Amino acid sequence: MATDLTASPQATTELHRYVEALLASLAADSSTPPAAPTFQDDPGSWLPPAVQALAAILVGDDPLEPLTRAAGRDQQNTALFLCLALAVAGHGDRIHASWLGTAFGELSLDLPLPHGQRALWLAAARGAYGPAGKIFVLRRLDALAIPGHTEANTWVQALAPGEPAVVIPAALVDFPELAEIPELATPVQAAARLARLRARCTEITSTRQADSESRTSLTNATAAPATAWAEEEPLAVLRTMAGLGGPPGPMGSLVSHLLDDLRPGADPFLAAIALHVAAPILRDVAAKLAADTELPPPDAITVPVLGHRLELRPEGPDATSMAAAEREIVADGMPDRGLPWLPYLALALAVTLFVAAGVVWWPLALLGAVLAGLGGWRLWRLRQARLSDAAYVERRLAELKDLADGAVWALHAYAREAEERAKQAAEDAAELTRLLRRGPRAA
């Protein structure tokens, strides 16, 4: 958009100095622009007469003659320059009705969005051109049927990112592994997502701005230097068009801009328009999520309890799966330790030595006593191990029963919560639909 004025360097310098001062004045919310110097007109450039037309509009003079010359040389750039400059000055209501359409041009889903279009979009969203400006941008966006070109989940993730992998309802706090079962997780996840979407839509549509503020929403009330102006996009485009700024940055696609506008922390005025564009697909998503919350709990679910697969039913754990789990616990907890052959052999040998000691040599009795003690000690250790195995199995069986019963009661509580969850989800879906019907009026 930069203008080539190199044919007359002196005129270019003079023009650039004036445009620099004029834009700084506009950005600082000055009602009186600097006095226009008498720079030479360049028949090959639209900028000098466009600047003259802008200065005339700002002081209330007739801009027709310089405006005609500028439009004859480049109608779109002239209209874009005047629309953005008047928006920055807080006089967007002074633009002609036809200028906005000429400056905006046509939107495309296949090409990057030009910076000029984005700047006009921002100005219109923030109310620089009144309700008519917002309606104009909305109609251009609606004509493209944009949501159909992107997956629904992409819009949902942009609107409410950071969704947790698992949502644990209050009923399953003590059994979080149950919350990962798809049949139980789907309604809870759907309700949580719907609530987050409603909260985000409420946040966007609750933005309000007084009429007095909307008339000068793009101005710099603190009179900071133009280079530090908060709303940089329109001013940056104006500087580029006048040859004052460097090359423009990379352009994004139309859809990427809309998705960025929906993300938390984005400009609320742009978010309101993006929400309007995404409304058809968000309504469908809300209806689908509300329907998912109405899915009834399953009649039976199979869950791991202490590493064993149990089938849980409303009336209690399934007897067959419970018996199989108990057999596995007994088999794992009471291994076959075999017969105590060595202790018995040691005891038998001790008896033999005792007999031999009375017949052959009495010191053999000492060795027999040692073998008898060793055999008895080994038998005692084996008995203690079997008692420990039995106690472990008893604890595991009791724990299995307690956990199974607790899980069943948790499922009963989940079923009671399901009714309230579905009811709340229906309210969320209805409210979200109502908010989407309001459109971007809040901007």
Side-chain angles (χ1 to χ4, degrees), residues 208-275:
R208 289 291 184 269
Q209 188 174 49
D211 292 340
S212 60
E213 294 176 332
S214 64
R215 286 196 297 270
T216 58
S217 59
L218 290 174
T219 59
N220 177 13
T222 61
T227 54
W229 192 42
E231 303 300 341
E232 185 180 351
E233 184 77 26
L235 191 60
V237 171
L238 287 170
R239 292 178 59 81
T240 301
M241 295 180 72
L244 300 173
M251 295 182 291
S253 68
L254 177 60
V255 172
S256 68
H257 278 295
L258 287 167
L259 292 174
D260 287 340
D261 292 343
L262 279 179
R263 303 186 199 282
D267 184 295
F269 302 96
L270 293 173
I273 286 182
L275 184 64

Short mmCIF file of all heavy atoms in Angstrom, two decimals, residues 208-275:
data_model
loop_
_atom_site.label_atom_id
_atom_site.label_comp_id
_atom_site.label_asym_id
_atom_site.label_seq_id
_atom_site.Cartn_x
_atom_site.Cartn_y
_atom_site.Cartn_z
N ARG A 208 -19.91 -4.45 27.67
CA ARG A 208 -20.75 -3.28 27.37
C ARG A 208 -19.86 -2.06 27.18
O ARG A 208 -18.78 -1.95 27.75
CB ARG A 208 -21.73 -3.01 28.52
CG ARG A 208 -22.84 -4.04 28.62
CD ARG A 208 -23.78 -3.93 27.44
NE ARG A 208 -24.89 -4.85 27.59
CZ ARG A 208 -24.90 -6.08 27.14
NH1 ARG A 208 -23.82 -6.55 26.55
NH2 ARG A 208 -25.96 -6.85 27.30
N GLN A 209 -20.33 -1.17 26.39
CA GLN A 209 -19.59 0.07 26.18
C GLN A 209 -20.58 1.21 25.98
O GLN A 209 -21.54 1.10 25.21
CB GLN A 209 -18.69 -0.05 24.94
CG GLN A 209 -17.77 1.14 24.79
CD GLN A 209 -16.80 0.92 23.65
OE1 GLN A 209 -17.22 0.55 22.57
NE2 GLN A 209 -15.53 1.19 23.87
N ALA A 210 -20.37 2.29 26.69
CA ALA A 210 -21.26 3.44 26.59
C ALA A 210 -21.17 4.07 25.21
O ALA A 210 -20.16 3.99 24.52
CB ALA A 210 -20.89 4.48 27.65
N ASP A 211 -22.27 4.72 24.81
CA ASP A 211 -22.28 5.36 23.49
C ASP A 211 -21.19 6.40 23.36
O ASP A 211 -20.57 6.55 22.31
CB ASP A 211 -23.65 5.99 23.24
CG ASP A 211 -24.74 4.95 23.09
OD1 ASP A 211 -24.40 3.79 22.80
OD2 ASP A 211 -25.91 5.30 23.26
N SER A 212 -20.95 7.12 24.43
CA SER A 212 -19.92 8.15 24.36
C SER A 212 -18.55 7.54 24.15
O SER A 212 -17.69 8.12 23.47
CB SER A 212 -19.93 8.99 25.63
OG SER A 212 -19.66 8.17 26.76
N GLU A 213 -18.32 6.36 24.73
CA GLU A 213 -17.03 5.70 24.55
C GLU A 213 -16.91 5.12 23.16
O GLU A 213 -15.85 5.18 22.55
CB GLU A 213 -16.86 4.61 25.60
CG GLU A 213 -16.77 5.13 27.01
CD GLU A 213 -16.70 3.98 28.00
OE1 GLU A 213 -17.23 2.92 27.68
OE2 GLU A 213 -16.14 4.17 29.07
N SER A 214 -17.99 4.58 22.64
CA SER A 214 -17.92 3.93 21.34
C SER A 214 -17.65 4.91 20.22
O SER A 214 -17.12 4.56 19.18
CB SER A 214 -19.22 3.16 21.06
OG SER A 214 -20.30 4.05 20.97
N ARG A 215 -18.00 6.17 20.42
CA ARG A 215 -17.75 7.13 19.35
C ARG A 215 -16.26 7.43 19.19
O ARG A 215 -15.82 7.83 18.12
CB ARG A 215 -18.51 8.43 19.65
CG ARG A 215 -20.00 8.34 19.41
CD ARG A 215 -20.60 9.73 19.35
NE ARG A 215 -20.43 10.46 20.59
CZ ARG A 215 -21.31 10.43 21.58
NH1 ARG A 215 -22.40 9.69 21.48
NH2 ARG A 215 -21.10 11.11 22.69
N THR A 216 -15.49 7.24 20.25
CA THR A 216 -14.05 7.51 20.17
C THR A 216 -13.26 6.31 20.67
O THR A 216 -12.24 6.47 21.33
CB THR A 216 -13.70 8.75 21.01
OG1 THR A 216 -14.09 8.51 22.36
CG2 THR A 216 -14.39 9.98 20.50
N SER A 217 -13.71 5.11 20.31
CA SER A 217 -13.12 3.91 20.90
C SER A 217 -11.71 3.65 20.39
O SER A 217 -10.98 2.87 20.98
CB SER A 217 -14.00 2.70 20.59
OG SER A 217 -14.13 2.55 19.19
N LEU A 218 -11.30 4.26 19.30
CA LEU A 218 -9.98 3.99 18.77
C LEU A 218 -8.99 5.09 19.09
O LEU A 218 -7.87 5.09 18.60
CB LEU A 218 -10.05 3.81 17.25
CG LEU A 218 -10.74 2.53 16.79
CD1 LEU A 218 -10.88 2.52 15.29
CD2 LEU A 218 -9.97 1.32 17.25
N THR A 219 -9.38 6.06 19.86
CA THR A 219 -8.48 7.17 20.13
C THR A 219 -7.56 6.88 21.29
O THR A 219 -7.78 5.97 22.07
CB THR A 219 -9.28 8.45 20.44
OG1 THR A 219 -10.09 8.20 21.59
CG2 THR A 219 -10.15 8.84 19.29
N ASN A 220 -6.53 7.69 21.40
CA ASN A 220 -5.54 7.55 22.46
C ASN A 220 -5.80 8.64 23.49
O ASN A 220 -5.29 9.75 23.39
CB ASN A 220 -4.14 7.67 21.85
CG ASN A 220 -3.05 7.62 22.89
OD1 ASN A 220 -3.32 7.26 24.04
ND2 ASN A 220 -1.85 7.98 22.52
N ALA A 221 -6.59 8.31 24.48
CA ALA A 221 -7.02 9.32 25.44
C ALA A 221 -5.87 9.86 26.29
O ALA A 221 -5.92 10.97 26.80
CB ALA A 221 -8.10 8.74 26.36
N THR A 222 -4.78 9.07 26.42
CA THR A 222 -3.66 9.53 27.23
C THR A 222 -2.67 10.37 26.45
O THR A 222 -1.66 10.82 27.01
CB THR A 222 -2.92 8.31 27.82
OG1 THR A 222 -2.43 7.51 26.76
CG2 THR A 222 -3.85 7.49 28.70
N ALA A 223 -2.93 10.59 25.18
CA ALA A 223 -2.06 11.41 24.33
C ALA A 223 -0.63 10.88 24.29
O ALA A 223 0.34 11.64 24.25
CB ALA A 223 -2.07 12.86 24.79
N ALA A 224 -0.48 9.56 24.31
CA ALA A 224 0.85 8.97 24.19
C ALA A 224 1.36 9.13 22.76
O ALA A 224 0.58 9.37 21.84
CB ALA A 224 0.79 7.49 24.57
N PRO A 225 2.67 9.01 22.55
CA PRO A 225 3.19 9.12 21.17
C PRO A 225 2.54 8.10 20.26
O PRO A 225 2.15 7.01 20.68
CB PRO A 225 4.68 8.84 21.35
CG PRO A 225 4.97 9.14 22.79
CD PRO A 225 3.71 8.81 23.54
N ALA A 226 2.43 8.46 18.99
CA ALA A 226 1.74 7.60 18.04
C ALA A 226 2.39 6.22 17.95
O ALA A 226 1.72 5.22 17.74
CB ALA A 226 1.71 8.25 16.67
N THR A 227 3.72 6.16 18.10
CA THR A 227 4.40 4.88 17.99
C THR A 227 4.05 3.93 19.13
O THR A 227 4.26 2.72 19.02
CB THR A 227 5.92 5.10 17.98
OG1 THR A 227 6.29 5.87 19.15
CG2 THR A 227 6.36 5.86 16.74
N ALA A 228 3.54 4.46 20.23
CA ALA A 228 3.18 3.62 21.38
C ALA A 228 1.68 3.48 21.52
O ALA A 228 1.19 3.05 22.56
CB ALA A 228 3.76 4.23 22.66
N TRP A 229 0.97 3.83 20.48
CA TRP A 229 -0.50 3.78 20.56
C TRP A 229 -0.96 2.33 20.73
O TRP A 229 -0.48 1.42 20.06
CB TRP A 229 -1.07 4.38 19.28
CG TRP A 229 -2.54 4.64 19.35
CD1 TRP A 229 -3.23 5.16 20.40
CD2 TRP A 229 -3.48 4.41 18.31
NE1 TRP A 229 -4.55 5.27 20.08
CE2 TRP A 229 -4.74 4.82 18.79
CE3 TRP A 229 -3.39 3.93 17.02
CZ2 TRP A 229 -5.89 4.74 18.03
CZ3 TRP A 229 -4.54 3.85 16.26
CH2 TRP A 229 -5.77 4.25 16.77
N ALA A 230 -1.89 2.11 21.63
CA ALA A 230 -2.30 0.75 21.96
C ALA A 230 -2.93 0.04 20.77
O ALA A 230 -2.63 -1.11 20.48
CB ALA A 230 -3.27 0.78 23.14
N GLU A 231 -3.84 0.69 20.08
CA GLU A 231 -4.52 0.07 18.93
C GLU A 231 -3.65 0.28 17.70
O GLU A 231 -3.87 1.16 16.89
CB GLU A 231 -5.91 0.68 18.74
CG GLU A 231 -6.80 0.54 19.96
CD GLU A 231 -7.01 -0.91 20.33
OE1 GLU A 231 -6.80 -1.79 19.49
OE2 GLU A 231 -7.38 -1.17 21.48
N GLU A 232 -2.66 -0.56 17.53
CA GLU A 232 -1.63 -0.30 16.53
C GLU A 232 -2.08 -0.63 15.12
O GLU A 232 -1.59 -0.02 14.17
CB GLU A 232 -0.38 -1.13 16.87
CG GLU A 232 0.78 -0.84 15.96
CD GLU A 232 1.99 -1.67 16.33
OE1 GLU A 232 1.95 -2.32 17.39
OE2 GLU A 232 2.95 -1.67 15.56
N GLU A 233 -2.97 -1.58 14.96
CA GLU A 233 -3.28 -2.06 13.61
C GLU A 233 -3.75 -0.96 12.66
O GLU A 233 -3.16 -0.79 11.59
CB GLU A 233 -4.30 -3.19 13.69
CG GLU A 233 -4.63 -3.83 12.35
CD GLU A 233 -3.55 -4.80 11.89
OE1 GLU A 233 -2.84 -5.34 12.74
OE2 GLU A 233 -3.42 -5.01 10.67
N PRO A 234 -4.79 -0.19 12.98
CA PRO A 234 -5.21 0.86 12.04
C PRO A 234 -4.11 1.89 11.79
O PRO A 234 -3.89 2.31 10.65
CB PRO A 234 -6.43 1.49 12.72
CG PRO A 234 -6.94 0.44 13.63
CD PRO A 234 -5.72 -0.28 14.12
N LEU A 235 -3.43 2.32 12.84
CA LEU A 235 -2.40 3.33 12.67
C LEU A 235 -1.22 2.78 11.88
O LEU A 235 -0.62 3.48 11.06
CB LEU A 235 -1.93 3.83 14.04
CG LEU A 235 -1.04 5.07 14.01
CD1 LEU A 235 -1.77 6.23 13.37
CD2 LEU A 235 -0.61 5.43 15.42
N ALA A 236 -0.86 1.51 12.11
CA ALA A 236 0.24 0.90 11.36
C ALA A 236 -0.09 0.84 9.88
O ALA A 236 0.77 1.08 9.03
CB ALA A 236 0.52 -0.50 11.90
N VAL A 237 -1.34 0.52 9.55
CA VAL A 237 -1.75 0.48 8.14
C VAL A 237 -1.67 1.88 7.54
O VAL A 237 -1.19 2.06 6.41
CB VAL A 237 -3.16 -0.12 8.01
CG1 VAL A 237 -3.67 0.03 6.58
CG2 VAL A 237 -3.16 -1.58 8.41
N LEU A 238 -2.13 2.89 8.27
CA LEU A 238 -2.06 4.26 7.77
C LEU A 238 -0.62 4.68 7.51
O LEU A 238 -0.30 5.31 6.50
CB LEU A 238 -2.71 5.21 8.77
CG LEU A 238 -4.24 5.17 8.85
CD1 LEU A 238 -4.72 5.98 10.04
CD2 LEU A 238 -4.87 5.68 7.56
N ARG A 239 0.27 4.35 8.42
CA ARG A 239 1.68 4.72 8.24
C ARG A 239 2.29 4.00 7.05
O ARG A 239 3.08 4.57 6.30
CB ARG A 239 2.47 4.39 9.52
CG ARG A 239 2.10 5.26 10.71
CD ARG A 239 2.87 4.84 11.96
NE ARG A 239 4.31 4.95 11.73
CZ ARG A 239 5.01 6.08 11.80
NH1 ARG A 239 4.39 7.21 12.10
NH2 ARG A 239 6.31 6.08 11.58
N THR A 240 1.92 2.74 6.85
CA THR A 240 2.43 2.00 5.70
C THR A 240 1.90 2.59 4.40
O THR A 240 2.64 2.74 3.42
CB THR A 240 2.03 0.51 5.80
OG1 THR A 240 2.55 -0.03 7.01
CG2 THR A 240 2.55 -0.27 4.63
N MET A 241 0.63 2.94 4.38
CA MET A 241 0.04 3.54 3.18
C MET A 241 0.72 4.86 2.83
O MET A 241 0.87 5.19 1.65
CB MET A 241 -1.46 3.75 3.37
CG MET A 241 -2.26 2.48 3.54
SD MET A 241 -4.03 2.82 3.77
CE MET A 241 -4.47 3.36 2.11
N ALA A 242 1.11 5.61 3.85
CA ALA A 242 1.74 6.91 3.62
C ALA A 242 3.25 6.79 3.41
O ALA A 242 3.93 7.81 3.25
CB ALA A 242 1.46 7.83 4.81
N GLY A 243 3.78 5.57 3.43
CA GLY A 243 5.20 5.40 3.22
C GLY A 243 6.03 5.75 4.43
O GLY A 243 7.23 6.01 4.31
N LEU A 244 5.44 5.74 5.63
CA LEU A 244 6.15 6.13 6.85
C LEU A 244 6.66 4.92 7.63
O LEU A 244 7.56 5.07 8.46
CB LEU A 244 5.23 6.95 7.76
CG LEU A 244 4.70 8.25 7.15
CD1 LEU A 244 3.68 8.87 8.08
CD2 LEU A 244 5.84 9.22 6.87
N GLY A 245 6.08 3.79 7.44
CA GLY A 245 6.45 2.61 8.21
C GLY A 245 7.23 1.63 7.36
O GLY A 245 7.40 1.79 6.15
N GLY A 246 7.74 0.60 8.02
CA GLY A 246 8.45 -0.45 7.32
C GLY A 246 7.49 -1.39 6.62
O GLY A 246 6.28 -1.14 6.54
N PRO A 247 8.01 -2.47 6.07
CA PRO A 247 7.14 -3.43 5.39
C PRO A 247 6.16 -4.06 6.37
O PRO A 247 6.50 -4.30 7.53
CB PRO A 247 8.13 -4.47 4.84
CG PRO A 247 9.34 -4.34 5.71
CD PRO A 247 9.41 -2.89 6.09
N PRO A 248 4.95 -4.32 5.93
CA PRO A 248 3.96 -4.93 6.83
C PRO A 248 4.37 -6.35 7.22
O PRO A 248 5.12 -7.02 6.49
CB PRO A 248 2.67 -4.93 6.00
CG PRO A 248 3.14 -4.89 4.57
CD PRO A 248 4.42 -4.10 4.58
N GLY A 249 3.89 -6.79 8.37
CA GLY A 249 4.19 -8.14 8.83
C GLY A 249 3.42 -9.18 8.05
O GLY A 249 2.64 -8.87 7.15
N PRO A 250 3.66 -10.45 8.38
CA PRO A 250 2.95 -11.53 7.67
C PRO A 250 1.45 -11.46 7.91
O PRO A 250 0.99 -11.03 8.96
CB PRO A 250 3.55 -12.80 8.28
CG PRO A 250 4.10 -12.37 9.60
CD PRO A 250 4.55 -10.96 9.43
N MET A 251 0.71 -11.88 6.91
CA MET A 251 -0.75 -11.86 6.98
C MET A 251 -1.26 -13.25 7.37
O MET A 251 -0.72 -14.26 6.94
CB MET A 251 -1.34 -11.42 5.64
CG MET A 251 -1.00 -9.99 5.24
SD MET A 251 -1.75 -9.49 3.67
CE MET A 251 -0.85 -10.51 2.50
N GLY A 252 -2.30 -13.27 8.17
CA GLY A 252 -2.93 -14.53 8.56
C GLY A 252 -4.17 -14.79 7.72
O GLY A 252 -4.70 -13.89 7.05
N SER A 253 -4.64 -16.03 7.78
CA SER A 253 -5.87 -16.37 7.06
C SER A 253 -7.08 -15.83 7.80
O SER A 253 -7.01 -15.50 8.99
CB SER A 253 -5.98 -17.88 6.88
OG SER A 253 -6.20 -18.50 8.13
N LEU A 254 -8.18 -15.76 7.10
CA LEU A 254 -9.42 -15.27 7.70
C LEU A 254 -9.84 -16.15 8.89
O LEU A 254 -10.19 -15.65 9.96
CB LEU A 254 -10.52 -15.24 6.64
CG LEU A 254 -11.91 -14.80 7.10
CD1 LEU A 254 -11.88 -13.39 7.65
CD2 LEU A 254 -12.90 -14.89 5.94
N VAL A 255 -9.76 -17.45 8.69
CA VAL A 255 -10.18 -18.37 9.76
C VAL A 255 -9.25 -18.27 10.97
O VAL A 255 -9.70 -18.30 12.12
CB VAL A 255 -10.24 -19.81 9.23
CG1 VAL A 255 -10.48 -20.81 10.37
CG2 VAL A 255 -11.34 -19.96 8.18
N SER A 256 -7.95 -18.14 10.72
CA SER A 256 -7.02 -18.04 11.85
C SER A 256 -7.27 -16.78 12.67
O SER A 256 -7.16 -16.79 13.90
CB SER A 256 -5.57 -18.05 11.35
OG SER A 256 -5.27 -16.87 10.61
N HIS A 257 -7.65 -15.68 12.00
CA HIS A 257 -7.99 -14.45 12.74
C HIS A 257 -9.23 -14.68 13.60
O HIS A 257 -9.28 -14.26 14.77
CB HIS A 257 -8.23 -13.30 11.76
CG HIS A 257 -6.97 -12.63 11.29
ND1 HIS A 257 -6.14 -11.94 12.14
CD2 HIS A 257 -6.40 -12.55 10.07
CE1 HIS A 257 -5.11 -11.45 11.46
NE2 HIS A 257 -5.25 -11.81 10.20
N LEU A 258 -10.23 -15.34 13.04
CA LEU A 258 -11.46 -15.58 13.80
C LEU A 258 -11.19 -16.49 15.01
O LEU A 258 -11.71 -16.25 16.10
CB LEU A 258 -12.51 -16.22 12.89
CG LEU A 258 -13.16 -15.29 11.87
CD1 LEU A 258 -13.93 -16.09 10.83
CD2 LEU A 258 -14.08 -14.29 12.55
N LEU A 259 -10.38 -17.51 14.81
CA LEU A 259 -10.07 -18.41 15.92
C LEU A 259 -9.28 -17.67 17.00
O LEU A 259 -9.52 -17.86 18.20
CB LEU A 259 -9.28 -19.61 15.41
CG LEU A 259 -10.04 -20.58 14.50
CD1 LEU A 259 -9.12 -21.66 13.96
CD2 LEU A 259 -11.22 -21.21 15.23
N ASP A 260 -8.34 -16.82 16.59
CA ASP A 260 -7.59 -16.03 17.57
C ASP A 260 -8.51 -15.08 18.33
O ASP A 260 -8.32 -14.84 19.53
CB ASP A 260 -6.48 -15.24 16.87
CG ASP A 260 -5.34 -16.13 16.42
OD1 ASP A 260 -5.21 -17.25 16.95
OD2 ASP A 260 -4.57 -15.71 15.53
N ASP A 261 -9.49 -14.53 17.63
CA ASP A 261 -10.42 -13.60 18.28
C ASP A 261 -11.29 -14.29 19.32
O ASP A 261 -11.81 -13.63 20.23
CB ASP A 261 -11.31 -12.93 17.23
CG ASP A 261 -10.53 -11.98 16.32
OD1 ASP A 261 -9.41 -11.62 16.69
OD2 ASP A 261 -11.06 -11.63 15.25
N LEU A 262 -11.47 -15.60 19.18
CA LEU A 262 -12.31 -16.33 20.13
C LEU A 262 -11.55 -16.73 21.39
O LEU A 262 -12.16 -17.01 22.41
CB LEU A 262 -12.86 -17.60 19.47
CG LEU A 262 -14.09 -17.45 18.57
CD1 LEU A 262 -14.46 -18.81 17.99
CD2 LEU A 262 -15.27 -16.87 19.33
N ARG A 263 -10.25 -16.77 21.33
CA ARG A 263 -9.48 -17.27 22.46
C ARG A 263 -9.58 -16.35 23.67
O ARG A 263 -9.72 -15.14 23.51
CB ARG A 263 -8.01 -17.46 22.07
CG ARG A 263 -7.82 -18.39 20.88
CD ARG A 263 -6.38 -18.69 20.59
NE ARG A 263 -6.22 -19.18 19.22
CZ ARG A 263 -6.49 -20.42 18.83
NH1 ARG A 263 -6.93 -21.29 19.73
NH2 ARG A 263 -6.34 -20.79 17.58
N PRO A 264 -9.50 -16.91 24.88
CA PRO A 264 -9.53 -16.07 26.08
C PRO A 264 -8.43 -15.01 26.04
O PRO A 264 -7.30 -15.28 25.63
CB PRO A 264 -9.29 -17.08 27.21
CG PRO A 264 -9.77 -18.38 26.66
CD PRO A 264 -9.46 -18.35 25.20
N GLY A 265 -8.78 -13.81 26.46
CA GLY A 265 -7.83 -12.72 26.45
C GLY A 265 -7.85 -11.89 25.19
O GLY A 265 -7.18 -10.86 25.12
N ALA A 266 -8.62 -12.31 24.18
CA ALA A 266 -8.69 -11.55 22.94
C ALA A 266 -9.54 -10.30 23.13
O ALA A 266 -10.28 -10.17 24.11
CB ALA A 266 -9.26 -12.42 21.82
N ASP A 267 -9.43 -9.38 22.18
CA ASP A 267 -10.24 -8.16 22.21
C ASP A 267 -11.72 -8.54 22.28
O ASP A 267 -12.21 -9.28 21.43
CB ASP A 267 -9.95 -7.33 20.95
CG ASP A 267 -10.68 -6.00 20.95
OD1 ASP A 267 -11.92 -6.02 20.92
OD2 ASP A 267 -10.01 -4.96 20.99
N PRO A 268 -12.45 -8.08 23.28
CA PRO A 268 -13.85 -8.51 23.44
C PRO A 268 -14.74 -8.09 22.27
O PRO A 268 -15.73 -8.76 21.98
CB PRO A 268 -14.29 -7.84 24.74
CG PRO A 268 -13.34 -6.71 24.94
CD PRO A 268 -12.05 -7.15 24.36
N PHE A 269 -14.41 -6.99 21.61
CA PHE A 269 -15.23 -6.54 20.48
C PHE A 269 -15.02 -7.45 19.28
O PHE A 269 -15.98 -7.81 18.59
CB PHE A 269 -14.88 -5.09 20.14
CG PHE A 269 -15.06 -4.15 21.29
CD1 PHE A 269 -14.00 -3.80 22.10
CD2 PHE A 269 -16.31 -3.64 21.60
CE1 PHE A 269 -14.16 -2.95 23.18
CE2 PHE A 269 -16.49 -2.79 22.67
CZ PHE A 269 -15.40 -2.45 23.47
N LEU A 270 -13.78 -7.83 19.03
CA LEU A 270 -13.53 -8.80 17.97
C LEU A 270 -14.09 -10.17 18.34
O LEU A 270 -14.60 -10.90 17.48
CB LEU A 270 -12.03 -8.92 17.73
CG LEU A 270 -11.34 -7.69 17.13
CD1 LEU A 270 -9.83 -7.88 17.10
CD2 LEU A 270 -11.86 -7.39 15.73
N ALA A 271 -14.03 -10.53 19.62
CA ALA A 271 -14.56 -11.82 20.07
C ALA A 271 -16.06 -11.90 19.82
O ALA A 271 -16.59 -12.97 19.48
CB ALA A 271 -14.26 -12.03 21.55
N ALA A 272 -16.77 -10.78 19.99
CA ALA A 272 -18.22 -10.78 19.78
C ALA A 272 -18.56 -11.09 18.33
O ALA A 272 -19.50 -11.85 18.04
CB ALA A 272 -18.80 -9.43 20.19
N ILE A 273 -17.80 -10.52 17.40
CA ILE A 273 -18.04 -10.80 15.98
C ILE A 273 -17.66 -12.24 15.65
O ILE A 273 -18.38 -12.94 14.92
CB ILE A 273 -17.27 -9.79 15.12
CG1 ILE A 273 -17.97 -8.43 15.19
CG2 ILE A 273 -17.19 -10.27 13.67
CD1 ILE A 273 -17.34 -7.36 14.33
N ALA A 274 -16.51 -12.70 16.15
CA ALA A 274 -16.10 -14.08 15.90
C ALA A 274 -17.11 -15.07 16.47
O ALA A 274 -17.39 -16.11 15.86
CB ALA A 274 -14.71 -14.33 16.50
N LEU A 275 -17.68 -14.75 17.62
CA LEU A 275 -18.69 -15.61 18.22
C LEU A 275 -19.93 -15.68 17.33
O LEU A 275 -20.55 -16.74 17.19
CB LEU A 275 -19.05 -15.11 19.61
CG LEU A 275 -20.04 -15.98 20.40
CD1 LEU A 275 -19.42 -17.34 20.70
CD2 LEU A 275 -20.43 -15.29 21.70
#
